[in-house]
Amino acid sequence: VAALRSLLPEEQIFYIGDTARVPYGGKSRETVERYSLEIGAVLAAGGAKLIVVACNTASALALPALSRTFDQPVCGVIQPGAEAAVAATRTGKIGILGTRATVASGAYEKAIRQLNPEVAIFSNPGPLLVPLIEEGLLDDPVTGEVITRYVEPLLGKGIDTLVLGCTHYPLLRKAIARVVGPDITLVDSASNCARFVKDILSSQGNAAAPSDCGGLRVALTDHVDHFLGVARQALDLPVDQIEVRQLQDL
Amino acid sequence: VAALRSLLPEEQIFYIGDTARVPYGGKSRETVERYSLEIGAVLAAGGAKLIVVACNTASALALPALSRTFDQPVCGVIQPGAEAAVAATRTGKIGILGTRATVASGAYEKAIRQLNPEVAIFSNPGPLLVPLIEEGLLDDPVTGEVITRYVEPLLGKGIDTLVLGCTHYPLLRKAIARVVGPDITLVDSASNCARFVKDILSSQGNAAAPSDCGGLRVALTDHVDHFLGVARQALDLPVDQIEVRQLQDL
């Protein structure tokens, strides 16, 4: 959302966060598909001209089901992240840090191999990072220790590029950079994904006029969200009113 | 479940774990009530003669709604834990470690004050403990460091009894004992809750015959459950087949 607001300030964004059922990172494909289709239906009913799946787990597991179901273009974050990684690597060795579900899906491997079959890809799940981020421990020795455990096996493979394969992880960019050092390029999909969205809207003649006044509307499926305060502060993203939408009400 | 199986081996237990929507510990009362009523309906439809809410967060937030809704007796884990704590304390200073939602609810304070209004109660949420336990880091320096942060403010108040106010936490009993030392009594509600259940069944003439062959049937709302392996091993609880029940199907 922060990258989209920055690149496309004239667009109206309706963001829905499934706070009643997060985290998705340890759930099965069936469940992530079901939840993603429910969320997609809320966005489609709200008149979305394009749907962004701003979650790596949902992108990795539910993109085909979403694309089949909705008439709108559906844009995930795996493909933009894969392109950024392939563009960044010099040694051809890319590491992927993601949720258990994203890593198990092999979605990054598939996307990267389609771009460049020569690249070697090494993946490791980082299941404690989302809880640590949600607690706001962005700059904490415990978080540093956990990051070290997750990235050391990847560093041992000689990677020169590390994909932050979960939309939470860029909040740990500084902490991860401290652990991996300056020679590893950290890649996330936010700005690449925003460029994808811009291109799709332009090519379909669907972009808002530059003079339009964009905005951000936020809905959550549960009104308790400790993380919202962390995200607001870390992303410097102004969010005014929050709606609560119980999905079964739809 | 382990405590019930041990005390009441002749009873048939139907356990349902809402793995598609866990953890509950950071959710609102409304959402926890809604999910608990859905789970309760599955158990009632399965012919339960008594419903055990084997989760502190759901006990703290949803017990009144569950008791109003179902004809069966509903037994939570807060009351048994409160009784065990009041029985254990010598100094009259009790600490509560629980999820954010359990601590915010004040359910332990209320239950303990009704038993003994003189007791002083100090609470602290431990939001990272469930993720650490689910990762199986039961005996790990990172877990020890996180426990230290959560219990130090309570130790500073001079507590002599610490309630493990989340059904996950007993898996950290050894690690917590190492941090708090031998002078603090650790209390959890499992065995007390099992005794409650036994008493209710006896007083209602609903207990299984001692010669009956009890059993355990397990259903989960999502089939991926990394934690199940951790729990099986830590609790030495044999679980054979696992059913998957999507709640919307009911």
Side-chain angles (χ1 to χ4, degrees), chain B:
Chain B
V1 167
L4 283 170
R5 288 288 293 148
S6 163
L7 188 68
L8 301 167
E10 67 278 13
E11 299 288 350
Q12 288 281 353
I13 298 173
F14 177 29
Y15 173 93
I16 179 162
D18 193 8
T19 45
R21 303 185 297 198
V22 287
Y24 280 20
K27 303 194 201 300
S28 68
R29 180 181 298 271
E30 290 76 359
T31 296
V32 172
E33 272 184 0
R34 187 154 56 91
Y35 291 175
S36 300
L37 291 171
E38 289 174 16
I39 298 284
V42 177
L43 298 174
K49 57 186 177 184
L50 179 147
I51 294 172
V52 178
V53 187
C55 165
N56 278 267
T57 301
S59 297
L61 303 181
L63 208 58
L66 288 164
S67 298
R68 271 196 312 272
T69 305
F70 299 104
D71 296 330
Q72 293 87 344
V74 178
C75 183
V77 287
I78 302 281
Q79 186 66 24
E83 296 194 6
V86 169
T89 186
R90 295 290 163 259
T91 63
K93 293 185 178 178
I94 296 174
I96 314 286
L97 195 61
T99 64
R100 220 182 271 288
T102 296
V103 167
S105 76
Y108 271 105
E109 281 84 342
K110 198 175 155 193
I112 290 173
R113 290 246 161 75
Q114 276 180 352
L115 295 166
N116 181 348
E118 307 292 309
V119 167
I121 305 151
F122 306 96
S123 303
N124 207 19
L128 285 169
L129 297 181
V130 166
L132 287 164
I133 294 164
E134 300 220 332
E135 284 309 302
L137 300 183
L138 306 183
D139 183 22
D140 190 284
V142 165
T143 307
E145 163 64 24
V146 170
I147 291 170
T148 302
R149 291 191 195 182
Y150 291 148
V151 300
E152 264 181 355
L154 302 173
L155 296 177
K157 300 289 185 184
I159 62 163
D160 73 339
T161 300
L162 179 63
V163 177
L164 307 182
C166 166
T167 39
H168 272 57
Y169 296 174
L171 271 63
L172 290 181
R173 180 179 276 274
K174 278 185 201 167
I176 293 172
R178 252 196 314 270
V179 172
V180 301
D183 297 337
I184 308 286
T185 306
L186 299 182
V187 161
D188 78 75
S189 38
S191 55
N192 261 32
C193 177
R195 274 194 297 274
F196 261 55
V197 169
K198 187 177 183 179
D199 291 348
I200 296 171
L201 292 177
S202 300
S203 70
Q204 301 197 330
N206 245 339
S211 59
D212 283 1
C213 180
L216 171 61
R217 186 181 145 205
V218 171
L220 302 176
T221 57
D222 189 13
H223 67 82
V224 166
D225 189 18
H226 178 73
F227 177 54
L228 193 65
V230 176
R232 269 178 171 151
Q233 198 169 12
L235 296 172
D236 193 22
L237 187 68
V239 177
D240 295 331
Q241 279 210 305
I242 309 280
E243 304 161 39
V244 174
R245 301 279 288 260
Q246 290 193 1
L247 286 186
Q248 80 200 28
D249 295 345
L250 300 164

Side-chain angles (χ1 to χ4, degrees), chain A residues 46-210:
Chain A
K49 58 187 176 183
L50 179 147
I51 294 173
V52 178
V53 187
C55 165
N56 279 267
T57 301
S59 297
L61 302 182
L63 208 58
L66 288 164
S67 299
R68 272 196 312 272
T69 304
F70 298 105
D71 296 329
Q72 292 87 345
V74 179
C75 182
V77 288
I78 303 280
Q79 186 66 25
E83 298 195 4
V86 169
T89 187
R90 295 290 161 261
T91 64
K93 293 185 179 177
I94 295 174
I96 313 285
L97 195 61
T99 64
R100 220 182 272 287
T102 296
V103 167
S105 76
Y108 272 105
E109 280 85 344
K110 198 176 155 194
I112 290 172
R113 290 246 161 75
Q114 276 180 353
L115 295 166
N116 182 348
E118 306 292 307
V119 167
I121 305 152
F122 306 95
S123 303
N124 207 18
L128 285 169
L129 297 182
V130 166
L132 288 165
I133 293 165
E134 300 222 330
E135 284 310 301
L137 300 183
L138 307 183
D139 183 21
D140 190 284
V142 165
T143 307
E145 164 64 23
V146 171
I147 291 169
T148 301
R149 290 190 196 183
Y150 292 148
V151 301
E152 264 181 355
L154 301 174
L155 295 177
K157 300 291 184 184
I159 61 164
D160 73 340
T161 301
L162 179 63
V163 177
L164 308 182
C166 165
T167 41
H168 272 56
Y169 296 174
L171 272 63
L172 290 181
R173 181 178 276 273
K174 279 185 201 165
I176 293 172
R178 252 197 314 270
V179 172
V180 301
D183 296 337
I184 308 286
T185 305
L186 299 182
V187 161
D188 77 74
S189 39
S191 54
N192 261 32
C193 177
R195 274 194 297 275
F196 261 55
V197 169
K198 187 177 183 179
D199 291 347
I200 295 171
L201 293 178
S202 301
S203 71
Q204 301 199 328
N206 245 339

